[in-house]
Amino acid sequence: SPHLPPTSSIAAFARGTRVPPPPRQASSGAAAPLPALRQSQLEALPRVFLLGWSYRAVSMLRWAPAYFVISGDATLLWYEEDEARGNENGDAPLRFDGSFDLREIARLQREEPTSHHNFVFIVATADAELRIDPGGRDEFRRWQDALLLAVTLPVTASPELPVAYRSDQKT
């Protein structure tokens, strides 16, 4: 079984304390994501720690739904729905919108660490920042567990790891 980070690391993230990334490991050689995919294609990827819909800030006042993937090679990817391609039996068409190498995180914190209602958090690298609203306490916990797994498990860990968390409903 994989070595999980100490509870103190999880608590530090929940309080808004910066969680430093581990030392950089060799690249897994994963191919860049395709420009347009279906939700079912992303769900079939190996070594995924989180899949699902959450909101991301697209400006200071506007939020948009995004389909997020936290992969086992420590990459956070997000996609937006590609309405021009049409939805087939609940299989949303998605267009790649961005990614972060989670090993390069400079800041990972909640916006309001003491709030019991606001679980918005920030993932930032030296070059960019992403604000994510997971929607509630349970989803926030799924996010923090998946983020911590992605940055603490070695890239060479077993490729048969299951998806840790799925959020199948678009909110």
Side-chain angles (χ1 to χ4, degrees):
S1 83
H3 172 70
L4 296 178
T7 306
S8 59
S9 295
I10 295 170
F13 174 51
R15 287 191 312 270
T17 306
R18 182 178 173 271
V19 177
R24 188 177 241 327
Q25 299 173 4
S27 171
S28 66
L34 298 173
L37 297 169
R38 293 252 172 225
Q39 186 173 328
S40 60
Q41 290 173 291
L42 292 173
E43 291 173 355
L45 291 173
R47 291 185 45 86
V48 172
F49 297 121
L50 182 134
L51 287 169
W53 293 97
S54 288
Y55 282 93
R56 72 175 185 91
V58 293
S59 70
M60 286 301 292
L61 301 174
R62 196 168 75 93
W63 292 82
Y67 193 80
F68 288 92
V69 177
I70 297 177
S71 68
D73 66 351
T75 304
L76 170 63
L77 306 131
W78 60 96
Y79 297 80
E80 61 183 30
E81 191 164 10
D82 188 353
E83 295 173 10
R85 291 185 56 213
N87 198 325
E88 296 176 8
N89 302 323
D91 191 11
L94 303 170
R95 183 175 51 249
F96 177 72
D97 197 32
S99 68
F100 277 163
D101 181 338
L102 294 173
R103 295 167 294 194
E104 296 177 4
I105 291 176
R107 184 168 51 118
L108 177 62
Q109 71 182 52
R110 281 184 58 192
E111 280 188 343
E112 297 180 25
T114 59
S115 173
H116 297 290
H117 306 289
N118 180 348
F119 292 93
V120 172
F121 64 95
I122 299 165
V123 178
T125 65
D127 302 320
E129 180 176 291
L130 181 65
R131 291 174 56 223
I132 300 170
D133 183 353
R137 176 175 291 144
D138 292 341
E139 287 297 312
F140 172 76
R141 287 182 179 150
R142 288 182 185 100
W143 267 95
Q144 82 180 12
D145 290 348
L147 286 165
L148 288 167
L149 280 171
V151 298
T152 57
L153 285 180
V155 172
T156 57
S158 168
E160 290 82 32
L161 287 171
V163 171
Y165 300 105
R166 273 184 209 267
S167 176
D168 294 327
Q169 296 208 338
K170 183 177 175 185
T171 53

